[in-house]
Amino acid sequence: MVQKYLDDILKTAKAGDATEPSFYPDLKNFLLEFLTQKGFDPSITVQPKRRVVGIPDFTVRKGKELIGYIEAKEPKYDDLANLPHRDQEQIKRYLEKLPNIILTNFFDFWLFREGKIIKKVRIGFPRIITELKTVSPVQNETQLIELLDLFFAYYIPESRTPKTLAKELARRAHLLTQTIVEELKNEKITEIDRIYNAFKEYLMRDLTQESFADIYAQTLAYGLFTARLNYPGKDFDRKKAGEYIPKSIKILRDTFNLISGDAIPESLESYVDDIATILAHSDIEEIKSQLKGKSGNSDPLIHFYETFLAEYAPAKRKSL
């Protein structure tokens, strides 16, 4: 299976003018085959390349269960420790926010858990393929299988306290903010542009794209939490969220008309789905109980917002 993967990489390289995304199908097909042989129902989403850093290149699920992410770099980078500065900053941000991620140049695979590297494997030499247009026999196949087993064995721990849940939501909201800014700066007009313009016209005329992205990312994360408070089951997802936003909170209901449907921009979809998955894995009744006990009233929403802001933007907590 691994030798076939390297043969596919070689075929892509020989096609001429191969770029990083040219190799995505080879890696995706290899991972799908790996998961299928393990008896899992795989789901691997490849993100479109965008001008600004957004989400990692691959989002990996087993069925609906979020497993983690894979960030790929071109095979020309044959030393992942010496990537260009911009790429290093990108990886640093991912490692701070995403708990289970692989960094690869399609030959080296580095597995990070909670920001710390736990395993490195090299299965071949990038320059042999990119420069000599040939392929050497697979190295370290057993170690690669072990690394992938570790990666796919990850599960989202159940959040049982407001603080642990707030931390997980804040991580995703920070990355979502960057993606919203990118969505506003691209040349394509989407619903996000319409909402931004409406905010400027009716609420804050001097609202910058960056400030809007910050507000909107919070709204999405907190709105999903609001819906989860009211959702009775364990199969919560973004498409169910709109039905469970209180009718009294109109701005949230309008927001979730977008993300609950098919009009959501593709660049935001994975982040929103991930937040929903984290909420689905939360012991929401226990969290409600703790929030009520701390706030001294029956509505946990306000108290959790302070907890969320302490993780998301502690410097702005008081003013917000």
Side-chain angles (χ1 to χ4, degrees), residues 54-283:
I55 198 168
D57 300 308
F58 296 77
T59 301
V60 183
R61 296 175 180 268
K62 290 190 300 193
K64 292 185 177 181
E65 299 295 320
L66 172 66
I67 298 301
Y69 303 87
I70 299 174
E71 176 63 20
K73 298 301 175 188
E74 289 187 63
K76 70 179 182 181
Y77 299 120
D78 62 355
D79 184 358
L80 291 175
N82 288 306
L83 292 171
H85 176 73
R86 175 180 169 176
D87 290 313
Q88 291 182 29
E89 290 298 308
Q90 175 196 45
I91 298 302
K92 180 181 177 182
R93 181 159 58 250
Y94 289 161
L95 296 183
E96 288 173 350
K97 307 300 179 185
L98 302 174
N100 191 41
I101 183 169
I102 289 174
L103 174 64
T104 184
N105 57 8
F106 302 96
F107 297 86
D108 294 282
F109 293 80
W110 292 12
L111 174 60
F112 294 85
R113 185 70 52 80
E114 299 292 346
K116 297 178 180 179
I117 191 160
I118 63 171
K119 195 171 183 66
K120 294 181 181 180
V121 177
R122 166 165 279 202
I123 60 170
F125 296 93
R127 286 183 177 174
I128 290 180
I129 280 184
T130 57
E131 296 178 11
L132 302 180
K133 297 297 189 290
T134 186
V135 64
S136 58
V138 177
Q139 300 183 58
N140 304 316
E141 181 169 2
T142 300
Q143 290 90 330
L144 177 62
I145 299 305
E146 290 172 355
L147 181 148
L148 292 176
D149 281 336
L150 283 171
F151 176 72
F152 288 117
Y154 181 79
Y155 70 97
I156 298 174
E158 183 179 52
S159 295
R160 297 182 60 85
T161 70
K163 184 174 179 61
T164 56
L165 177 57
K167 184 175 182 178
E168 291 300 322
L169 297 189
R171 279 177 166 181
R172 271 60 175 197
H174 274 298
L175 291 173
L176 185 55
T177 301
Q178 299 291 327
T179 308
I180 293 169
V181 171
E182 178 184 332
E183 195 70 29
L184 292 171
K185 290 183 182 298
N186 67 22
E187 298 174 357
K188 186 177 179 181
I189 301 300
T190 69
E191 283 295 292
I192 295 297
D193 296 276
R194 184 186 64 78
I195 294 170
Y196 169 55
N197 291 329
F199 267 59
K200 286 186 69 175
E201 182 175 356
Y202 297 110
L203 296 177
M204 304 166 69
R205 291 191 179 277
D206 59 347
L207 185 66
T208 65
Q209 291 178 335
E210 289 74 14
S211 294
F212 169 77
D214 187 54
I215 293 169
Y216 197 65
Q218 288 187 55
T219 303
L220 290 175
Y222 199 67
L224 283 165
F225 169 74
T226 303
R228 180 68 181 96
L229 281 180
N230 298 308
Y231 187 75
K234 286 281 189 179
D235 58 340
F236 179 76
D237 60 38
R238 69 174 172 86
K239 292 192 175 182
K240 296 182 175 72
E243 304 171 36
Y244 290 89
I245 298 290
K247 292 181 180 179
S248 58
I249 312 179
K250 188 175 186 303
I251 189 170
L252 287 185
R253 289 187 68 83
D254 289 347
T255 296
F256 279 79
N257 285 338
L258 168 64
I259 74 151
S260 296
D262 296 328
I264 183 172
E266 186 179 24
S267 59
L268 305 187
E269 187 173 355
S270 289
Y271 283 123
V272 176
D273 283 339
D274 291 354
I275 292 171
T277 301
I278 290 163
L279 287 163
H281 281 262
S282 299
D283 186 340

